Amino acid sequence: MENTPLSVSAASALVNQTLEYAFPVLLVEGEINSFKINRDKYVFFDVKDDEASLGCFMTVWQLRMPLEDGMKVQVVATPKLTAWGKFSLTVREVRPIGEGSIKRSSELLRTKLEKEGLFSEERKKSLPKLPRSIGLIASAESAGYVDFLTILGSRWGGMEITVANVQVQGVGAAEQIINAIEYFNHLDVKPELLVMVRGGGSADDLAVFNDEPLVRAVALSSLPILTGIGHEIDTSLVDLVADVRAATPSNAAERLVPDKREILRHVEVSSIRLAEILERQTVKIAEKVVLFKERGLRRLALRLQQSKHEFAYRTQLLEGLNPSAILGRGYAILRAVDGTALGPKQVGAIRIGDSLQIELKTHILSVGVKNVEQKT
Amino acid sequence: MSNKKPEPANLQTQLKQLDDLLTWFERDDFDVEAALAKYDEGMKLVSAIEDRLQLVENKVEVLKKRFDQGT
């Protein structure tokens, strides 16, 4: 044998080289055991299954969620042989997986942040009443994003929405969302508020919203943040620290702006009431005119008569504008499928094949467009 | 992103004014001359509110910027 013997350090280095070459990164799933933090800096724990166990090492600043023995975790790590011959996984990322572990981890974090006062009502900012500009943080392919924008658009118009397209689950998502929050907060011209939405998902899918650095970033945002994450029952730590929490992405749109259809209805009702009041008044005035004439107060009677005409004229005007009166005269109201009335400005966007609603005095028809011809 | 002063503040005011007007009319024994002026005011408010609410769609811009590298 002609092999030159290696020194111990060389042997160790050789093994490490081989490991680095063969396994640059390992993804391992197992249960945490013997978790401890030394000197507030160094984190040691074993990750194990029924038959084997591997030691892990990381620094405390890499911990994005609290961990404890018994939790199931996924570890992204590089295998290493330490100078003292201990085989260890140097952890790049670790996160709890599975509903039980995620829940436990977020409970631990919740207690910690609650003590710091991060969830207190005093910290929460109120949302602007009718925002003109919004920063939206979401995944532009997700259902939550579509739901939010659809409901928002049917309720209110004239807003400018800038979208930060980010991942909303999995590795790297938390950092992306943090970057998006900081991006909006440091713009020269900032939006009036930020909205963070994502649709429903499993505990694993939603785990990113319990990530400690992300929760802190939401708390520190100087722009108010409205969240609409998951389903009604999903409450993440980001929800708790947000300025306003909506139950879902759709609910976020409802909390943010009023429904213009309701306001229009209210205005319609108001003008009908006004017309009724004026009609009553016209009758009263007519009675007064008769009275004045009887008492020989001719000039007063004349003036009142004039007012009555003016009232009647205006009542007619009002009724003319009142949609039910219009319908009564045989005209129809054209609406889109969602009920929005289509005025002259919107008619240009109608295409063959579109579905429309026609409201008549007594019926509502659902129709399809066969042909569109612009009058010259 | 707009840094104009938000005009919707006027909408809130307009709605409030309309409601106040109605309350005034509901008193039922109002002065006829005053009523005519108030009525015209009411009609203008109704028009203005309806115009504002028929507003165009929202403008949505998806940033091309990627957020997986630090800002």
Side-chain angles (χ1 to χ4, degrees):
Chain A
M1 238 184 14
E2 301 303 341
N3 289 331
T4 319
L6 298 164
S7 67
V8 173
S9 356
S12 182
L14 183 63
V15 169
N16 269 319
Q17 254 177 45
T18 312
L19 281 173
E20 204 181 308
Y21 183 74
F23 304 109
V25 167
L26 279 177
L27 180 66
V28 181
E29 204 174 285
E31 186 185 305
I32 294 186
N33 197 28
S34 305
F35 182 88
K36 59 181 179 287
I37 302 181
N38 281 1
R39 293 194 263 162
D40 277 328
K41 282 194 246 178
Y42 305 117
V43 180
F44 295 92
F45 59 93
D46 293 333
V47 66
K48 73 178 187 63
D49 60 20
D50 292 332
E51 289 160 27
S53 171
L54 288 174
C56 296
F57 167 77
M58 63 193 274
T59 58
V60 80
W61 303 286
Q62 293 169 273
L63 265 183
R64 304 188 71 111
M65 285 193 73
L67 299 175
E68 62 177 19
D69 287 357
M71 278 190 195
K72 276 210 147 51
V73 292
Q74 231 181 48
V75 163
V76 176
T78 351
K80 241 184 88 109
L81 191 61
T82 70
W84 294 274
K86 179 174 177 236
F87 179 84
S88 158
L89 294 175
T90 305
V91 174
R92 286 201 208 166
E93 285 169 42
V94 59
R95 54 198 191 99
I97 51 164
E99 199 174 325
S101 301
I102 291 172
K103 197 156 169 241
R104 178 64 188 144
S105 180
S106 68
E107 270 165 29
L108 289 171
L109 184 55
R110 180 185 176 146
T111 312
K112 173 175 163 187
L113 297 178
E114 202 154 21
K115 280 212 190 91
E116 290 180 32
L118 248 57
F119 304 144
S120 81
E121 284 304 313
E122 289 90 50
R123 292 193 77 256
K124 296 194 195 301
K125 305 177 268 291
S126 50
L127 303 180
K129 273 251 123 75
L130 291 170
R132 281 291 198 138
S133 61
I134 297 169
L136 178 60
I137 301 176
S139 163
E141 280 94 46
S142 71
Y145 168 83
V146 170
D147 285 346
F148 174 74
L149 287 178
T150 308
I151 308 263
L152 195 74
S154 63
R155 287 172 75 88
W156 206 252
M159 293 181 281
E160 280 179 36
I161 299 150
T162 308
V163 181
N165 189 5
V166 295
Q167 267 179 267
V168 287
Q169 67 183 62
V171 174
E175 277 305 320
Q176 288 187 28
I177 301 175
I178 292 172
N179 289 339
I181 294 173
E182 286 175 3
Y183 168 79
F184 283 120
N185 268 284
H186 288 104
L187 285 173
D188 288 329
V189 180
K190 307 179 219 303
E192 290 169 59
L193 80 152
L194 298 180
V195 180
M196 199 181 302
V197 296
R198 104 135 256 164
S202 66
D204 281 299
D205 295 335
L206 300 177
V208 64
F209 297 101
N210 292 320
D211 178 280
E212 183 172 346
L214 173 56
V215 175
R216 290 189 185 280
V218 170
L220 287 175
S221 167
S222 51
L223 296 173
I225 295 187
L226 163 66
T227 57
I229 295 168
H231 296 305
E232 169 78 52
I233 48 150
D234 300 313
T235 305
S236 62
L237 296 175
V238 160
D239 283 321
L240 291 179
V241 87
D243 297 289
V244 176
R245 182 235 169 197
T248 62
S250 304
N251 185 232
E254 288 164 9
R255 300 281 295 260
L256 191 55
V257 290
D259 190 337
K260 68 186 173 206
R261 293 161 297 190
E262 277 178 28
I263 299 184
L264 282 170
R265 234 167 278 140
H266 171 79
V267 166
E268 234 172 68
V269 163
S270 299
S271 45
I272 293 174
R273 271 167 64 198
L274 198 55
E276 285 170 5
I277 293 173
L278 288 185
E279 241 181 82
R280 277 207 310 273
Q281 277 307 310
T282 316
V283 169
K284 278 199 187 164
I285 291 174
E287 287 167 8
K288 275 198 189 154
V289 166
V290 167
L291 205 61
F292 287 165
K293 278 194 178 151
E294 278 172 11
R295 300 210 184 143
L297 301 162
R298 283 204 61 227
R299 275 211 351 250
L300 262 175
L302 255 174
R303 255 188 75 195
L304 258 186
Q305 184 84 291
Q306 238 185 344
S307 308
K308 183 186 132 197
H309 285 317
E310 307 238 2
F311 260 51
Y313 168 64
R314 279 164 173 75
T315 310
Q316 263 190 343
L317 266 187
L318 245 187
E319 285 183 347
L321 293 171
N322 176 350
S324 327
I326 297 175
L327 294 178
R329 294 206 294 277
Y331 291 103
I333 300 180
L334 194 64
R335 299 183 191 280
V337 168
D338 69 2
T340 334
L342 300 172
K345 293 188 200 144
Q346 289 96 14
V347 162
I350 297 178
R351 300 277 169 267
I352 298 177
D354 281 354
S355 295
L356 299 172
Q357 263 186 23
I358 301 181
E359 182 180 349
L360 306 167
K361 187 167 170 63
T362 52
H363 286 73
I364 296 183
L365 310 172
S366 295
V367 301
V369 177
K370 281 170 70 173
N371 188 36
V372 179
E373 188 186 305
Q374 192 164 16
K375 286 157 70 174
T376 41
Chain B
M1 217 104 27
S2 164
N3 57 356
K4 305 193 283 270
K5 182 166 170 18
E7 172 224 294
N10 290 337
L11 178 66
Q12 298 277 52
T13 320
Q14 283 169 340
L15 288 169
K16 173 112 199 349
Q17 281 171 348
L18 186 61
D19 280 339
D20 287 344
L21 217 71
L22 272 172
T23 314
W24 187 90
F25 269 100
E26 241 129 50
R27 274 173 30 210
D28 227 23
D29 65 345
F30 42 78
D31 171 59
V32 164
E33 301 283 351
L36 293 174
K38 280 220 181 287
Y39 174 91
D40 287 339
E41 198 189 307
M43 287 310 298
K44 285 210 193 85
L45 277 173
V46 167
S47 263
I49 293 169
E50 283 180 343
D51 279 345
R52 169 66 177 87
L53 290 180
Q54 311 289 20
L55 245 194
V56 296
E57 271 136 33
N58 298 318
K59 188 171 137 223
V60 179
E61 182 202 339
V62 180
L63 293 170
K64 294 199 178 55
K65 180 181 166 65
R66 290 177 60 105
F67 289 90
D68 52 0
Q69 300 119 17
T71 32

